[in-house]
């Protein structure tokens, strides 16, 4: 190929991502990827090549391509890596809107006996092969939605003047109670993997006003449910000079923004996931806001057995969320069942100024937040009530010693949010390499 002129015009085959092939219709292109699927009749091969951006069908017709090429295509194996060249044709029925008439092919590496075949595999087998399972159309779609959600959240927060200030992973103390801590040996000292970056985000909010942290968090939760991971990602905004109302407003606006961004930018992926788009399109402001007391009354009316004063479990959350076509915000839970740092409602000291956002369709709690206790003496008393070691929290108490202000924030569970947006049953598919009770491989 020379820059000088096009003696080869029309023969050039620049490398093109599958997602952009359509714009090359009528011209030649090269795609680099892996064999996703091969279907053949005697006279024609339909070769599906995936390159990470999409899947394209390359068609080879016997008699129209050199016989050795036709034979080589027929001998391809699933997940072999290769390079194909050919002319791009617009094909409205194809997922990306384009097809390739195969003209040349180079096999880069021949894969033998790829373990994941088009037949159905059980979840245990797939999880054991998670490193390969990621290559499936469905898993790739989920990861793309996850990426879009992360991007949307970061963009949204930046536009609202939030600064990303990340929290440490190794911590000296519990944030969300002592029962779910993973301990680590930190040069002879006991440390814990963080359950939440919140306490550090509070310190950062006193420095920068509006901040968020976003990172992996850890809970040694012995619950083997579809909603629990032992390692999950949490996005935690924190605002100085904020009330519970401000916290609810932000959570609502952020969720609406994330859902609409996914609807705009990940249509193909939602189609692959067979997501009912109507369910996402109805996610608009305002979200219903009901108090714990009202929620308890509604549960009783619907005959759901539940002990007033306790936290909601999955069945209660499902029953409450199923009444609405959008997330519902339940606020002011009994103080006794919530974390030490939540501020009590001055109008009803038995209640905490907190909120849980419950996703529709039974996905349960995706966001938990609160206004924080900002009074020094009260916070000292709370630490004692919760039997937390005061020494480890002296730095946190400093925030109430030096210019304490009303403040609050929330934590949004990324995998739960992605599961709901994707309409995926289980959280294990919403994180690249899930960590769950009894699973740490691969
Ligand atoms: O309600 P949680 O425990 O709240 C906190 O950790 C606060 N410190 C956050 C804050 O205010 N900055 O957890 C927040 C969210 C939940 O609503 C849920 O979405 C998710 O984190 N989550 C989990 N996700 C997956 N697996 C688990 N085991 C989870 N535990 C909580
Ligand atoms: Mg919670």
């Amino acid at each position: 190929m020379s820059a000088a002129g096009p003696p080869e015009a029309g023969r050039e085959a620049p490398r093109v991502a599958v997602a952009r092939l359509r714009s090359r219709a009528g011209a030649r292109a090269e795609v680099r990827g892996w064999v996703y699927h091969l279907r053949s009749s005697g006279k024609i091969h339909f070769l599906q090549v995936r390159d990470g951006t999409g899947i394209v069908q390359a068609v080879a017709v016997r008699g129209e391509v050199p016989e050795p090429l036709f034979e080589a295509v027929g001998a391809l194996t699933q997940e072999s890596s290769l390079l194909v060249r050919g002319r791009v044709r617009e094909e409205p029925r194809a997922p990306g809107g384009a097809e390739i008439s195969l003209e040349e092919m180079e096999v880069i590496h021949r894969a033998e006996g790829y373990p994941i075949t088009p037949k159905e595999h059980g979840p245990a087998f797939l999880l054991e092969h998670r490193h390969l399972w990621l290559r499936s159309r469905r898993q790739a779609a989920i990861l793309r939605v996850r990426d879009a959600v992360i991007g949307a959240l970061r963009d949204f927060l930046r536009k609202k003047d939030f600064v990303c200030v990340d929290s440490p992973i190794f911590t000296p103390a519990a944030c969300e109670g002592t029962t779910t801590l993973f301990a680590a040996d930190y040069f002879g000292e006991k440390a814990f993997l963080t359950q939440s970056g919140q306490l550090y985000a509070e310190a950062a909010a006193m420095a920068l006003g509006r901040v968020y942290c976003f990172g992996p968090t850890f809970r040694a939760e012995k619950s083997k449910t579809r909603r629990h991971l032992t390692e999950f990602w949490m996005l935690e905004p924190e605002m100085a000079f904020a009330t519970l109302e401000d916290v609810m407003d932000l959570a609502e606006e952020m969720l609406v923004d994330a859902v609409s961004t996914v609807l705009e930018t990940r249509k193909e992926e939602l189609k692959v996931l067979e997501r009912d788009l109507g369910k996402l399109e109805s996610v608009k402001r305002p979200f219903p806001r009901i108090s714990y007391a009202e929620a308890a009354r509604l549960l009783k009316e619907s005959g759901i057995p539940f002990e007033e004063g306790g936290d909601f479990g999955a069945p209660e959350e499902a029953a409450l969320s199923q009444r609405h076509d959008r997330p519902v915000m339940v606020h002011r839970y009994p103080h006794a069942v919530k974390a030490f740092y939540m501020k009590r409602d001055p109008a009803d000291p038995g209640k905490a100024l907190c909120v849980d956002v419950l996703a529709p369709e039974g996905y349960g709690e995706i966001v938990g937040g609160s206004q924080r206790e900002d009074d020094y003496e009260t916070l000292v008393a709370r630490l004692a009530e919760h039997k937390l070691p005061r020494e480890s929290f002296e730095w946190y108490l400093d925030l109430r010693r030096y210019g304490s202000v009303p403040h609050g924030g929330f934590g949004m569970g990324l995998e739960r949010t992605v599961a709901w947006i994707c309409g995926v049953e289980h959280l294990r598919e919403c994180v690249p390499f899930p960590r769950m009770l009894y699973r740490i491989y691969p």
Side-chain angles (χ1 to χ4, degrees):
M1 257 169 281
S2 83
E8 287 263 303
R11 292 295 306 160
E12 268 182 54
R15 179 185 174 186
V16 181
V18 168
R20 303 195 195 288
L21 267 181
R22 201 172 163 186
S23 62
R24 287 283 300 172
R28 272 167 49 91
E30 174 184 290
V31 168
R32 302 178 192 186
W34 295 262
V35 175
Y36 191 70
H37 190 65
L38 176 67
R39 186 164 59 84
S40 301
S41 71
K43 279 183 53 168
I44 183 159
H45 293 310
F46 299 99
L47 168 64
Q48 290 187 349
V49 178
R50 58 165 197 90
D51 77 339
T53 73
I55 298 175
V56 66
Q57 180 160 275
V59 182
V61 181
R62 174 165 258 154
E64 290 180 14
V65 300
E67 189 58 19
L69 173 59
F70 190 83
E71 293 292 325
V73 173
L76 283 171
T77 53
Q78 193 185 345
E79 288 303 321
S80 286
S81 47
L82 80 182
L83 197 155
V84 295
R85 289 186 208 98
R87 196 156 299 275
V88 181
R89 262 189 294 125
E90 210 157 329
E91 173 48 71
R93 285 165 303 173
E99 233 177 44
I100 292 180
S101 301
L102 189 70
E103 295 171 357
E104 289 160 50
M105 175 177 86
E106 283 171 34
V107 175
I108 296 165
H109 177 255
R110 188 179 163 82
E112 299 286 358
Y114 185 69
I116 303 181
T117 56
K119 74 163 197 199
E120 288 273 311
H121 296 284
F125 179 87
L126 291 170
L127 285 166
E128 209 63 18
H129 294 86
R130 181 63 175 167
H131 50 296
L132 302 176
W133 187 23
L134 295 180
R135 302 181 186 195
S136 78
R137 198 194 291 258
R138 174 181 161 90
Q139 298 309 312
I142 296 170
L143 291 180
R144 279 177 191 289
V145 172
R146 180 184 164 107
D147 168 71
V149 170
I150 294 171
L153 295 170
R154 287 201 187 269
D155 288 350
F156 173 84
L157 288 168
R158 180 165 292 144
K159 270 187 223 142
K160 297 237 166 232
D161 296 330
F162 283 78
V163 180
C164 177
V165 181
D166 286 321
S167 304
I169 306 286
F170 282 126
T171 57
C175 176
E176 292 301 317
T178 49
T179 55
T180 65
L181 286 170
F182 277 112
D185 172 41
Y186 197 77
F187 305 114
E189 230 181 282
K190 201 162 187 180
F192 304 100
L193 298 183
T194 184
Q195 295 166 313
S196 155
Q198 177 197 318
L199 307 186
Y200 298 94
E202 286 183 56
M206 298 307 133
L208 293 137
R210 297 178 139 208
V211 299
Y212 70 98
C213 60
F214 179 50
T217 50
F218 307 84
R219 307 245 172 127
E221 262 167 325
K222 289 270 160 61
S223 29
K224 204 176 171 191
T225 80
R226 63 189 184 89
R227 304 198 307 155
H228 288 91
L229 300 167
T230 54
E231 176 178 328
F232 61 96
W233 282 64
M234 187 158 37
L235 182 108
E236 302 182 79
E238 191 71 31
M239 301 176 279
F241 300 100
T243 63
L244 177 62
E245 295 303 311
D246 300 322
V247 169
M248 292 199 273
D249 289 346
L250 181 71
E252 182 183 69
E253 212 184 321
M254 196 171 97
L255 285 167
V256 169
D257 184 84
V259 169
S260 68
T261 303
V262 172
L263 274 171
E264 272 165 40
T265 62
R266 292 293 184 267
K267 273 247 147 59
E268 278 301 326
E269 287 77 8
L270 293 172
K271 207 153 88 192
V272 168
L273 297 167
E274 295 174 11
R275 185 63 171 122
D276 180 348
L277 298 186
K279 292 261 193 323
L280 296 179
E281 280 154 0
S282 57
V283 178
K284 300 239 165 70
R285 302 179 77 177
F287 296 170
R289 296 180 186 191
I290 59 173
S291 68
Y292 172 90
E294 290 166 60
R297 190 170 47 73
L298 290 171
L299 287 172
K300 282 205 194 104
E301 276 171 19
S302 359
I304 288 157
F306 132 85
E307 209 178 306
E308 175 122 30
D311 206 348
F312 295 141
E316 289 88 22
E317 289 180 357
L320 289 168
S321 69
Q322 257 140 20
R323 308 166 54 90
H324 304 282
D325 66 347
R326 60 197 74 189
V328 50
M329 304 180 127
V330 182
H331 54 83
R332 295 179 170 80
Y333 285 66
H335 198 272
V337 300
K338 290 290 184 186
F340 77 94
Y341 53 72
M342 292 183 180
K343 192 172 180 66
R344 291 198 178 184
D345 185 356
D348 179 358
K351 300 293 195 304
L353 290 176
C354 66
V355 61
D356 278 0
V357 182
L358 312 179
E361 302 170 75
Y363 280 92
E365 181 197 329
I366 49 173
V367 165
S370 67
Q371 188 174 327
R372 320 306 188 187
E373 182 50 69
D374 50 1
D375 177 64
Y376 174 82
E377 297 295 343
T378 314
L379 192 55
V380 168
R382 292 289 168 268
L383 285 170
E385 272 168 37
H386 285 257
K387 300 197 170 51
L388 292 165
R390 176 163 167 176
E391 329 72 82
S392 309
F393 291 90
E394 281 302 335
W395 68 270
Y396 186 64
L397 288 167
D398 271 352
L399 307 177
R400 279 71 178 168
R401 286 188 185 105
Y402 307 112
S404 187
V405 298
H407 66 286
F410 61 83
M412 173 180 157
L414 179 67
E415 290 78 14
R416 288 208 191 154
T417 304
V418 170
W420 160 55
I421 293 178
C422 288
V424 166
E425 267 277 305
H426 204 299
L427 257 53
R428 65 188 169 212
E429 288 185 72
C430 298
V431 57
F433 292 94
R435 297 291 173 249
M436 300 178 286
L437 192 57
Y438 311 130
R439 173 154 304 278
I440 195 168
Y441 177 92

